[in-house]
Amino acid sequence: MSTTVTPAATLSSASASIASRRSVSIATILKWLVAICVAIVAVFPIWWMFNVVFSHPGVPISINPRLYPTSLSAGLNNILTIFTETDYLRAYYVSVMYTLLTIIGILLFSSMAAFEFAQFQFPGKNLLFGIVMISLMVPKAVTIIPTYLLTVQLGWLNTMQGLVVPGLASAFGLFMLIQFMKSIPAEMIEAARLDGANHFQIYWHVAIPLSKNALITLAILTFMSTWGNYIWPLIVAPSPTMYTVGQVVGLFNAPYSHTTVDIVMTANLLAAVPPLIFFLIFQRQIVEGIAHSGTKG
Amino acid sequence: MSSRTTRSIAHYLMLSPFMLLFAVFFLYPIVSGLFYSFFEWNASQTSHFVGLANYTKVFTSRNFEKATWNLLIYVSITVPLGIFVALSLALLVDSFSGFWAKFFRSAFFIPVVMPLFLAATIWRWIYAPNFGLLNTILGWFGMPSVQFLNDTGTMLYAMIAVDVWVSAGFNMVIILAGLKNVPRHYYEAARLDGASTFQQVVHVTLPSIRPVLFFVITYGLISALQVFDVPWLLTGSSFAEYGGRANALLFPVMDMMGRGFGSVRFGQASAYGFMLTILIVCVTAVMFALRKKFGDA
Amino acid sequence: MSSLQISNAAKAYGAVPILDNINLDIASGEFVVFVGPSGCGKSTLLRMISGLEDITAGEMRLDDRVINHVDPAKRGIAMVFQSYALYPHLTVFENMAFSLTMARAPMAERKEKVERAAEILRLTHLLDRRPAQLSGGQKQRVAIGRAIVRQPKVFLFDEPLSNLDAELRVQMRAELIQLHQRLRATMIYVTHDQVEAMTLADKIVVLNGGRIQQVGRPLDLYDDPDNKFVAGFIGTPTMNFLSARVKDVAADHIVVSGLGGDTAAAGLVIPFAGFDPSIREIQLGIRPEHATIAIDPASAEGLAAKVTLVEELGDLTSVHTVLANGERLVAQNHGRRHSGAIETVVRIAADKALVFDMAGQRLRPAKA
Ligand SMILES: Nc1ncnc2c1ncn2[C@@H]1O[C@H](COP(=O)(O)OP(=O)(O)OP(=O)(O)O)[C@@H](O)[C@H]1O
Ligand SMILES: [Mg+2]
């Protein structure tokens, strides 16, 4: 290869680089265009739901296609209507309790078991651990009906414990916490033992604070899956007094429910508010939690 | 008593809440479900042993055939399409940096935060005939109104669109985490070798994120095989009416739930659950065998 | 304060023996250092004393009370870990007060004890910080502080300085010596660094392969080792070992020959009373400072040697050589630089040479 650079060669390479710069900029424009379009597709249905709530219901779609909110008072009126004229408030309460108790139960019981599996050796450990891990592979489809029948036998139909307790036997959170607690140095636990902490104190004063991040992530993921759980409340709490938000929304959907779109969307919007708020606050933990379970699991 | 045995007792005490729940609400239901699947059950609660009759009844029923057929079409479209969209979105987000990368990631992720029952209801109204948003838009272009959720030719595809809308952000986040783990110098080396952007994706990116893709595909398959919430809420949303016109949106889990709660045939429902489990376990096993064959990256 | 006796202690993981036949007396207020190569069982022995590890056989007494089955927290023992084991979610104060919190001690007592310990360790201004905001040396002091607060009978240290850089290590060593003098507590310290062992210890315990090789004061181990392992482990550069044949045995000396394969030489006279004449083959241990390079090789008496490497530290020059039979020998010149010669003669101070049998056991002259 020659090392002398002729003027022609410099010229052509210069024009090539200009051409490539231009093609890069076209690609960049295209990239932005696609990104913005996808963002619109992703966000628009939620935006539209919001607009439906905050628009005068009387105005036909052909005149107002609900591309932006038009009436604050109509929206507030819708919210008032749904709280006063339907049992939505009660459903909201049931959903909140269901979610809260499930989060507390899962965090407490999984972290206690994870602490043992991650940090200690004891007879039977490998057997127990193996059984629990195999359960991660068993699909929900196989357990849901017998679990329902068991709940019926316990007389827990239409009760809060019927909603909450069977869901606490989830190996997912346990697995996640074990992975995390394995990284707690054994010396920290031994130091606490020498300092006179008993087994439960070591768990409570050392393992729990050190696992704070993992616990927050698990709490958020549990929140999302419990708040969004549709199928279990549907079968185990069929009485209107125990309806969850999801069931009410589903009911509004049923044919002949005679619910107008603005009321349906108000119910939807109110159901969407807690997860959206959580997302805005804990975005990093949610995204990292999901990414972590995918790349490490 | 030596300190060693007291310590072992402490371990079991800490484990017991979780293990007890796990035994009662996970292990017992599996065993009892297997038991139920060999019995004829009806509303009057008298049961008698019927051998494999429940299995053959399910297997030969018209609905089973329809549900399986629907599932096959659904899975073979939604999984590849979903992964392709998620991968594209991940690459798109990855090509931005700083604020805009975060912005688009959040925007694309928002549908994941929505509970499934919400996503389904919103879309149900977007798809609504005549006044639905989509048909309004079609109307602007002078096209006739389409019965997206009532026309057997479009129902499945309308549902897949919702499905991809919901799941793309979830998978994108996992793939993004995988992309972040690809060492930069791989790309630099490829660029020095004169690889185009597309070639870099095919020859550097994809092989490097193989484990993540494996997880996303396997997880996507397992959840797609158990699809329930979205088709349920896009159709009748009650045990009296589900599956949509001509059962175009009837899927196995829905069929199973319908047999259990609609017509109180828990024996058949349990048998259904086990058949589904066998299918899912087989699919998972095949996936793991494939992963072994093509090696971990 | 407190004394510790260990008799016939052993430790095995399953069928694998880790420590065997450990007998040790530690007097009250003594600073004892366990030293030995990696994996020899130092940490295991320390953890057996702490109670974190069960003892497989034997007996352990603290102040004449058998503590084999006493709970670690109730032994009156505090331990400082290599990784410091500070709790990142607690402040320095809370870390140091942890044991008192667990014992539900009143706040005033916690404050008083922690502040006293903080003063000793010059940590008073750091009490509100969290471990992440401390330097390595400060973390180390907090870890020691946490031990002091408990007012233990015995302090245990497991390689506490190994995460610090060289300079800080020297400084912390000095602080530990002061601390020991101030508290007059019994301290047991594990290290694999023999300089740390030599500088800190009242008494060194040399371990190898799960057995105690020798126990003694630092300079006693240096001057009068029991076996080749101790002789080689203590002192840098390590002691030279040369095989030799016993040519002649007299009442107060022996004559050895064949050093370095040099069969022609007249032989080296080594003072040794009461040598067992049946022993024909021995090994001589010679510290580098007792071997010097002759100034004028041509006329000097000694071992012919070939220089392979010269380490010049200014005041001290270590000359690595290889002898005719391939054995290696390190010699030292004090205050004198190496001439650059390759072929040299090494002179050995015969009266300082130690005699070992072929199994590595030290042969000592009969006492006069
Ligand atoms: N839990 C265990 N199970 C089996 N063997 C073990 C266990 N813990 C330690 N050992 C073995 O016991 C021996 C002594 O270990 P120990 O930690 O006491 O060594 P050490 O002298 O402290 O070494 P180092 O200087 O590297 O810290 C090693 O050979 C180690 O492999
Ligand atoms: Mg050690």
Side-chain angles (χ1 to χ4, degrees):
Chain A
M1 202 184 285
S2 155
T3 47
T4 47
V5 180
T6 63
T10 9
L11 206 64
S12 74
S13 80
S15 68
S17 84
I18 288 171
S20 80
R21 209 176 301 149
R22 186 176 302 147
S23 77
V24 161
S25 66
I26 287 172
T28 311
I29 291 172
L30 218 66
K31 188 177 90 177
W32 277 88
L33 220 62
V34 172
I36 291 167
C37 287
V38 175
I40 289 173
V41 171
V43 177
F44 187 80
I46 294 156
W47 177 238
W48 179 78
M49 164 177 82
F50 184 79
N51 298 338
V52 171
V53 176
F54 288 94
S55 296
H56 280 295
V59 185
I61 290 240
S62 50
I63 294 171
N64 173 15
R66 317 291 201 251
L67 295 182
Y68 41 85
T70 53
S71 165
L72 179 67
S73 62
L76 295 178
N77 204 33
N78 281 331
I79 294 172
L80 199 67
T81 310
I82 207 164
F83 277 146
T84 51
E85 290 175 24
T86 69
D87 270 342
Y88 199 68
L89 203 57
R90 185 206 294 273
Y92 221 78
Y93 168 78
V94 171
S95 275
V96 168
M97 287 310 286
Y98 169 39
T99 308
L100 215 61
L101 292 174
T102 305
I103 291 175
I104 293 172
I106 284 195
L107 289 196
L108 184 68
F109 299 147
S110 309
S111 65
M112 282 165 70
F115 174 62
E116 301 300 332
F117 281 129
Q119 286 288 344
F120 300 98
Q121 294 297 331
F122 46 88
K125 168 178 165 173
N126 291 339
L127 179 73
L128 290 179
F129 185 68
I131 294 174
V132 175
M133 286 304 107
I134 285 175
S135 78
L136 281 174
M137 303 231 198
V138 176
K140 213 155 185 76
V142 74
T143 53
I144 187 158
I145 285 188
T147 309
Y148 163 80
L149 293 173
L150 175 64
T151 314
V152 173
Q153 279 164 16
L154 290 171
W156 285 2
L157 221 55
N158 292 313
T159 63
M160 191 51 84
Q161 64 267 37
L163 273 176
V164 174
V165 177
L168 302 183
S170 149
F172 169 79
L174 177 68
F175 184 67
M176 193 183 133
L177 290 180
I178 289 176
Q179 297 294 90
F180 191 88
M181 286 193 181
K182 270 190 183 152
S183 66
I184 296 178
E187 291 194 347
M188 292 231 179
I189 289 178
E190 290 172 345
R193 219 176 126 206
L194 286 176
D195 273 350
N198 65 32
H199 197 65
F200 187 79
Q201 284 174 317
I202 295 176
Y203 159 77
W204 191 250
H205 292 286
V206 179
I208 289 292
L210 289 181
S211 314
K212 203 178 79 195
N213 286 340
L215 290 171
I216 289 176
T217 304
L218 179 59
I220 294 163
L221 294 181
T222 307
F223 166 81
M224 300 219 303
S225 67
T226 312
W227 187 263
N229 195 344
Y230 181 76
I231 191 168
W232 181 248
L234 177 74
I235 57 173
V236 91
S239 144
T241 56
M242 282 302 286
Y243 276 167
T244 58
V245 164
Q247 279 166 280
V248 175
V249 168
L251 217 67
F252 286 166
N253 266 344
Y256 323 116
S257 77
H258 300 296
T259 318
T260 53
V261 60
D262 50 320
I263 291 296
V264 174
M265 286 305 149
T266 308
N268 279 354
L269 184 66
L270 291 173
V273 165
L276 280 178
I277 289 176
F278 257 71
F279 176 63
L280 291 180
I281 300 175
F282 295 111
Q283 189 181 158
R284 195 176 53 83
Q285 280 92 340
I286 295 174
V287 168
E288 276 171 11
I290 291 174
H292 187 85
S293 62
T295 42
K296 298 274 160 64
Chain B
M1 189 155 48
S2 81
S3 69
R4 202 198 181 103
T5 39
T6 49
R7 242 181 295 151
S8 282
I9 290 172
H11 296 313
Y12 297 129
L13 270 180
M14 291 284 283
L15 278 174
S16 56
F18 182 87
M19 293 315 289
L20 219 64
L21 283 168
F22 187 76
V24 174
F25 291 103
F26 189 88
L27 297 182
Y28 172 76
I30 290 184
V31 177
S32 68
L34 188 64
F35 186 76
Y36 294 145
S37 71
F38 295 113
F39 283 79
E40 170 83 45
W41 273 59
N42 51 38
S44 63
Q45 298 280 309
T46 54
S47 59
H48 55 101
F49 185 74
V50 292
L52 286 174
N54 285 327
Y55 287 87
T56 51
K57 259 187 210 145
V58 169
F59 204 74
T60 54
S61 71
R62 179 94 53 77
N63 275 356
F64 178 81
E65 192 185 324
K66 181 69 186 165
T68 313
W69 192 237
N70 283 345
L71 187 70
L72 200 68
I73 302 173
Y74 164 73
V75 167
S76 57
I77 297 175
T78 202
V79 174
L81 183 68
I83 304 287
F84 176 76
V85 171
L87 180 63
S88 310
L89 293 187
L91 289 170
L92 188 61
V93 170
D94 202 41
S95 72
F96 290 96
S97 57
F99 172 80
W100 290 108
K102 275 205 196 100
F103 175 83
F104 284 121
R105 189 189 66 182
S106 303
F108 299 169
F109 189 75
I110 281 229
V112 183
V113 184
M114 293 287 106
L116 270 184
F117 62 77
L118 267 185
T121 7
I122 297 173
W123 277 89
R124 194 185 163 98
W125 285 93
I126 289 177
Y127 280 142
N130 303 321
F131 304 113
L133 184 77
L134 218 50
N135 275 317
T136 311
I137 294 173
L138 288 180
W140 293 346
F141 296 99
M143 281 188 248
S145 173
V146 180
Q147 300 238 352
F148 289 104
L149 295 176
N150 223 1
D151 177 338
T152 51
T154 57
M155 285 164 82
L156 190 63
Y157 305 102
M159 174 194 151
I160 288 173
V162 179
D163 213 59
V164 171
W165 183 79
V166 161
S167 67
F170 180 86
N171 290 330
M172 172 196 77
V173 161
I174 296 174
I175 296 173
L176 261 178
L179 290 179
K180 291 272 176 291
N181 290 339
V182 181
R184 284 212 65 79
H185 64 259
Y186 283 20
Y187 293 110
E188 280 152 15
R191 249 203 321 276
L192 287 179
D193 290 344
S196 68
T197 310
F198 179 73
Q199 285 170 322
Q200 283 178 36
V201 168
V202 171
H203 296 293
V204 180
T205 313
L206 288 186
S208 312
I209 59 169
R210 213 155 42 188
V212 172
L213 285 180
F214 166 80
F215 172 84
V216 171
I217 293 171
T218 310
Y219 188 83
L221 266 176
I222 293 174
S223 7
L225 291 170
Q226 298 180 74
V227 63
F228 175 81
D229 292 15
V230 173
W232 178 267
L233 284 155
L234 289 180
T235 58
S237 314
S238 82
F239 287 112
E241 188 186 337
Y242 54 87
R245 162 171 293 185
N247 278 343
L249 290 186
L250 183 73
F251 292 96
V253 172
M254 201 192 270
D255 192 15
M256 173 187 88
M257 299 291 282
R259 280 167 207 253
F261 297 97
S263 36
V264 205
R265 294 206 181 93
F266 286 113
Q268 279 187 33
S270 300
Y272 215 132
F274 273 94
M275 288 163 71
L276 205 56
T277 302
I278 290 167
L279 174 71
I280 288 167
V281 168
C282 287
V283 168
T284 318
V286 167
M287 286 304 295
F288 274 90
L290 284 177
R291 169 168 149 155
K292 205 164 202 173
K293 189 168 170 203
F294 294 108
D296 290 21
Chain C
M1 286 287 133
S2 336
S3 63
L4 182 75
Q5 283 100 38
I6 302 173
S7 33
N8 291 319
K11 175 74 189 176
Y13 286 113
V16 187
I18 302 292
L19 286 167
D20 200 18
N21 194 26
I22 303 291
N23 288 289
L24 201 54
D25 265 330
I26 295 172
S28 179
E30 221 170 6
F31 199 124
V32 177
V33 174
F34 295 171
V35 68
S38 187
C40 69
K42 308 178 293 290
S43 298
T44 306
L45 182 54
L46 198 70
R47 292 164 55 82
M48 282 159 69
I49 296 172
S50 74
L52 290 172
E53 210 74 70
D54 290 329
I55 162 168
T56 310
E59 196 178 76
M60 219 173 267
R61 288 167 172 273
L62 184 61
D63 287 340
D64 293 325
R65 169 172 161 242
V66 178
I67 56 168
N68 284 23
H69 297 295
V70 176
D71 187 85
K74 303 209 174 88
R75 292 186 180 195
I77 280 171
M79 186 150 167
V80 176
F81 292 90
Q82 180 177 353
S83 65
Y84 319 134
L86 301 179
Y87 307 118
H89 59 286
L90 301 180
T91 62
V92 168
F93 179 92
E94 290 163 334
N95 263 287
M96 287 170 65
F98 191 79
S99 59
L100 300 171
T101 313
M102 290 301 106
R104 297 199 163 65
M107 198 59 206
E109 183 189 338
R110 290 183 213 178
K111 243 178 118 71
E112 187 212 315
K113 284 188 172 165
V114 169
E115 273 165 10
R116 184 147 19 99
E119 205 172 307
I120 295 174
L121 295 162
R122 290 177 285 114
L123 288 169
T124 310
H125 61 295
L126 300 174
L127 285 177
D128 292 330
R129 294 220 194 150
R130 282 179 200 278
Q133 301 163 307
L134 301 178
S135 71
Q138 289 168 338
K139 280 184 202 163
Q140 187 56 69
R141 292 215 295 273
V142 175
I144 296 172
R146 185 167 63 181
I148 292 178
V149 165
R150 291 186 49 204
Q151 299 175 316
K153 294 176 183 164
V154 180
F155 284 86
L156 306 179
F157 299 88
D158 194 353
E159 310 207 20
L161 307 186
S162 59
N163 284 348
L164 303 179
D165 62 37
E167 204 175 320
L168 206 52
R169 217 177 309 175
V170 174
Q171 190 189 326
M172 283 303 296
R173 228 155 58 197
E175 288 192 21
L176 273 174
I177 293 172
Q178 282 172 9
L179 188 73
H180 178 237
Q181 284 166 354
R182 177 161 184 173
L183 298 176
R184 303 195 170 283
T186 312
M187 294 189 173
I188 305 178
Y189 186 104
V190 162
T191 179
H192 58 250
D193 177 349
Q194 50 120 345
V195 178
E196 254 173 45
M198 297 292 281
T199 49
L200 286 170
D202 295 327
K203 184 151 98 185
I204 292 181
V205 178
V206 182
L207 283 159
N208 188 36
R211 284 171 177 274
I212 293 181
Q213 301 293 321
Q214 190 172 358
V215 180
R217 292 191 321 220
L219 287 181
D220 287 349
L221 296 192
Y222 187 83
D223 294 334
D224 191 18
D226 274 352
N227 55 40
K228 250 181 89 176
F229 177 81
V230 175
F233 193 79
I234 306 279
T236 37
T238 56
M239 184 181 269
N240 299 297
F241 295 104
L242 302 179
S243 50
R245 263 195 321 280
V246 181
K247 211 165 88 178
D248 214 353
V249 178
D252 63 346
H253 69 268
I254 57 174
V255 182
V256 300
S257 69
L259 281 178
D262 184 358
T263 42
L268 202 59
V269 178
I270 295 172
F272 199 113
F275 192 82
D276 175 359
S278 68
I279 298 172
R280 308 307 309 168
E281 305 274 319
I282 58 163
Q283 296 182 81
L284 284 186
I286 300 140
R287 295 231 175 254
E289 71 248 36
H290 301 140
T292 44
I293 303 291
I295 300 172
D296 181 8
S299 62
E301 288 267 311
L303 297 174
K306 205 180 268 176
V307 176
T308 56
L309 176 71
V310 180
E311 291 174 328
E312 305 200 282
L313 300 174
D315 59 333
L316 186 77
T317 304
S318 293
V319 182
H320 296 245
T321 68
V322 56
L323 304 177
N325 66 349
E327 283 181 330
R328 290 173 187 280
L329 178 67
V330 179
Q332 280 181 341
N333 293 339
H334 276 273
R336 181 157 60 81
R337 311 275 155 109
H338 184 61
S339 66
I342 301 292
E343 303 286 346
T344 55
V345 169
V346 179
R347 289 221 310 249
I348 288 165
D351 55 331
K352 296 284 168 46
L354 304 178
V355 181
F356 301 91
D357 68 15
M358 293 314 281
Q361 282 304 314
R362 172 82 184 284
L363 300 174
R364 287 194 170 91
K367 297 246 164 58

